[in-house]
Amino acid sequence: MPGREAGGASGLSHGDRAVQPDGPQDRSAPAQHAPRPAGPTREWQMTPQEQDMMACFRQDYLDLLDGRVATIERLVAQHEVEPAHVALLSLESSSAMVGAAELAAVVRELRGVLDGAGADELEALTARLAVEAAAVARRLGEPAERAG
């Protein structure tokens, strides 16, 4: 019968090669690897417009930081857990975006224990939050030539 290979394998003949139906097979097929994405061809640099946008974001972040920390301190002290979570998530993400990893870590820790921590632990963490926020404000508020 045309289309059958010698040896009884079922499949369709396609030119000079056999096309096998899908399904379990006794032999192992060669592993197929997805192509890897090419590495960067040049170092990425911000355009002047992107630099301006980042500078504006950083300045807005600094302008709002003290008020955000005060709001979080008040919400935590008054046990307003849900609004505190929202405020903490916002501060955590924006802190990460400006490169304030230490502040983002303190915020994440406070957010993680907010529901079950005692008053002493919450007070200690909010105090650490305020200290780290002040350090970030000093560091990010430095003139650009000294900040790097």
Side-chain angles (χ1 to χ4, degrees), residues 72-141:
I72 289 168
E73 288 173 326
R74 178 182 52 78
L75 292 171
V76 170
Q78 295 175 352
H79 306 290
E80 294 185 42
V81 175
E82 202 59 37
H85 270 288
V86 172
L88 287 163
L89 280 168
S90 176
L91 182 57
E92 181 180 349
S93 62
S94 60
S95 295
M97 288 192 292
V98 297
E102 301 86 4
L103 179 56
V106 172
V107 172
R108 188 177 316 110
E109 184 179 351
L110 177 57
R111 188 171 51 82
V113 300
L114 189 58
D115 291 328
D120 290 342
E121 185 178 6
L122 291 174
E123 187 177 314
L125 282 171
T126 53
R128 278 183 49 211
L129 170 74
V131 167
E132 187 57 44
V136 165
R138 282 189 305 276
R139 187 170 61 248
L140 292 180

Side-chain angles (χ1 to χ4, degrees), residues 4-20:
R4 295 241 179 215
E5 300 278 326
S10 64
L12 301 175
S13 178
H14 182 54
D16 59 343
R17 63 177 190 214
V19 178
Q20 299 296 323

Side-chain angles (χ1 to χ4, degrees), residues 11-97:
L12 301 175
S13 178
H14 182 54
D16 59 343
R17 63 177 190 214
V19 178
Q20 299 296 323
D22 292 336
Q25 308 228 348
D26 290 337
R27 60 190 159 102
S28 61
Q32 295 199 2
H33 299 284
R36 293 185 182 184
T41 56
R42 66 178 178 88
E43 186 176 318
W44 181 77
Q45 294 179 356
M46 287 195 292
T47 65
Q49 182 183 13
E50 291 168 329
Q51 290 173 355
D52 289 345
M53 289 171 31
M54 185 60 191
C56 288
F57 182 83
R58 183 182 65 230
Q59 190 58 54
D60 289 345
Y61 173 87
L62 290 171
D63 290 346
L64 298 171
L65 186 57
D66 287 342
R68 294 171 87 184
V69 169
T71 297
I72 289 168
E73 288 173 326
R74 178 182 52 78
L75 292 171
V76 170
Q78 295 175 352
H79 306 290
E80 294 185 42
V81 175
E82 202 59 37
H85 270 288
V86 172
L88 287 163
L89 280 168
S90 176
L91 182 57
E92 181 180 349
S93 62
S94 60
S95 295
M97 288 192 292

